[in-house]
Amino acid sequence: MTSVTAPTHARDSWSRARRYRHSLWLLTSRDLRVRYSTSFLGYLWSVLDPLAMSAIYFFVFTVVFRRDVGFEPYILFLLGGLLPWMWMSGAISDSTRAFIKEARLIRSTKVPPTIWVARLTLAKGIEFVASLPVLALFAIVAGITLGWDKVHVGWEIVLFPLGIVLQAALVLGIGLIVAPLTVFFRDLERAVKLVLRFAFYATPIVYDLGDLPANLQTLGAFNPLAGILSLYRATFFPEALDWTAVGISAGVTALLLVVGTLVFRRSIHAVLKEV
């Protein structure tokens, strides 16, 4: 009996996982196609926004004001923070409308509810990965070499994928909290936008965590994106790597993912009835 049931259960679990991945990819690719199908520039819009913001901050901090934060070349440092931030802010902002915007489709299809949040994390993550050639281009323009010069690519490049995994988990965890709660508290959508504006300046994007006063660095490290940005930037700036911040980010990310899962499970039945 056991020898028959165990393989059957394993096949069922594998089949469910495969269907989940298939549904997730279908909805994610649909989102990406809809977003860029009527756009002449297509995916380039995913990098134009951070490029424009980088140009503005580069001008402000190198021409208008005297800058003593970040690393040189500063434009590369800026992009190393702004590109991940666009993934973070875009996915969280979209999560506030995850169920409200797709209410009709949710009522007419039967897919695991977490997919409606996970697809946003994946879609914005794909846009982030698609923007990485721009980061590489700026690195080449800045005169980057393998092993010497003022900026170099060393072994720390292997930490970049770890940053992507941590950020995906972080964005998903926050999305699992925000998405269902916004169905019941519609004002949360605007509140999240305000929080994201504040979070931009509370996150070491235009500055490095080490640029903060000593008494604020520990507090700043509890921003889960701080350690993740440290992993990204370590590819070009090894001195930006802060293992303490990375450890704290991993802990906070794990906590948010657990809390998000619990909130989602306890509220999803009421959410599906509401939409």
Side-chain angles (χ1 to χ4, degrees):
M1 184 69 176
T2 303
S3 61
V4 175
T5 304
T8 301
H9 178 71
R11 286 196 300 269
D12 290 342
S13 298
W14 173 256
S15 179
R16 285 195 297 269
R18 186 169 57 184
R19 288 197 300 269
Y20 186 95
R21 291 195 302 269
H22 180 66
S23 300
L24 175 60
W25 177 247
L26 281 179
L27 289 171
T28 301
S29 58
R30 184 210 62 159
D31 285 352
L32 292 173
R33 285 197 303 270
V34 169
R35 186 171 300 156
Y36 298 121
S37 61
T38 58
S39 171
F40 176 74
L41 293 179
Y43 110 95
L44 289 178
W45 284 113
S46 65
V47 297
L48 286 178
D49 194 6
L51 280 177
M53 292 180 65
S54 295
I56 293 171
Y57 284 110
F58 181 77
F59 175 78
V60 169
F61 286 102
T62 59
V63 178
V64 179
F65 298 109
R66 180 177 176 272
R67 177 181 58 82
D68 57 357
V69 295
F71 301 98
E72 292 292 341
Y74 188 61
I75 187 65
L76 189 60
F77 176 84
L78 269 179
L79 282 171
L82 284 171
L83 292 177
W85 172 255
M86 299 306 293
W87 176 11
M88 179 88 171
S89 62
I92 293 176
S93 180
D94 287 351
S95 292
T96 61
R97 303 183 297 275
F99 291 107
I100 300 171
K101 185 178 179 181
E102 302 287 357
R104 181 178 300 178
L105 188 59
I106 291 171
R107 288 193 296 265
S108 61
T109 58
K110 292 183 179 180
V111 296
T114 53
I115 285 181
W116 300 108
V117 180
R119 69 188 175 89
L120 300 174
T121 299
L122 181 57
K124 291 297 182 180
I126 290 174
E127 289 182 353
F128 169 69
V129 173
S131 69
L132 292 182
V134 176
L135 186 63
L137 177 62
F138 272 87
I140 294 171
V141 171
I144 196 167
T145 60
L146 296 175
W148 59 88
D149 207 346
K150 60 182 178 181
V151 181
H152 72 278
V153 174
W155 68 267
E156 292 87 357
I157 194 173
V158 302
L159 300 176
F160 205 98
L162 176 59
I164 293 177
V165 172
L166 276 179
Q167 184 167 353
L170 174 63
V171 173
L172 179 60
I174 297 176
L176 290 174
I177 297 172
V178 170
L181 293 182
T182 310
V183 175
F184 306 110
F185 309 101
R186 299 301 174 92
D187 289 341
L188 188 59
E189 181 178 349
R190 295 187 178 183
V192 166
K193 291 181 180 179
L194 290 176
V195 171
L196 286 174
R197 290 177 186 174
F198 169 78
F200 176 85
Y201 295 101
T203 301
I205 297 173
V206 299
Y207 58 88
D208 184 64
L209 185 62
D211 294 323
L212 293 174
N215 59 333
L216 292 179
Q217 288 184 17
T218 300
L219 180 62
F222 277 90
N223 180 334
L225 202 54
I228 294 172
L229 293 184
S230 172
L231 291 172
Y232 289 141
R233 284 169 168 160
T235 298
F236 307 110
F237 311 104
E239 59 271 35
L241 183 58
D242 187 333
W243 283 113
T244 299
V246 172
I248 294 175
S249 291
V252 174
T253 296
L255 178 61
L256 287 172
L257 191 57
V258 170
V259 172
T261 301
L262 293 175
V263 170
F264 194 87
R265 286 181 176 177
R266 294 190 176 187
S267 61
I268 189 59
H269 293 298
V271 168
L272 295 178
K273 290 180 181 179
E274 185 71 18
V275 299

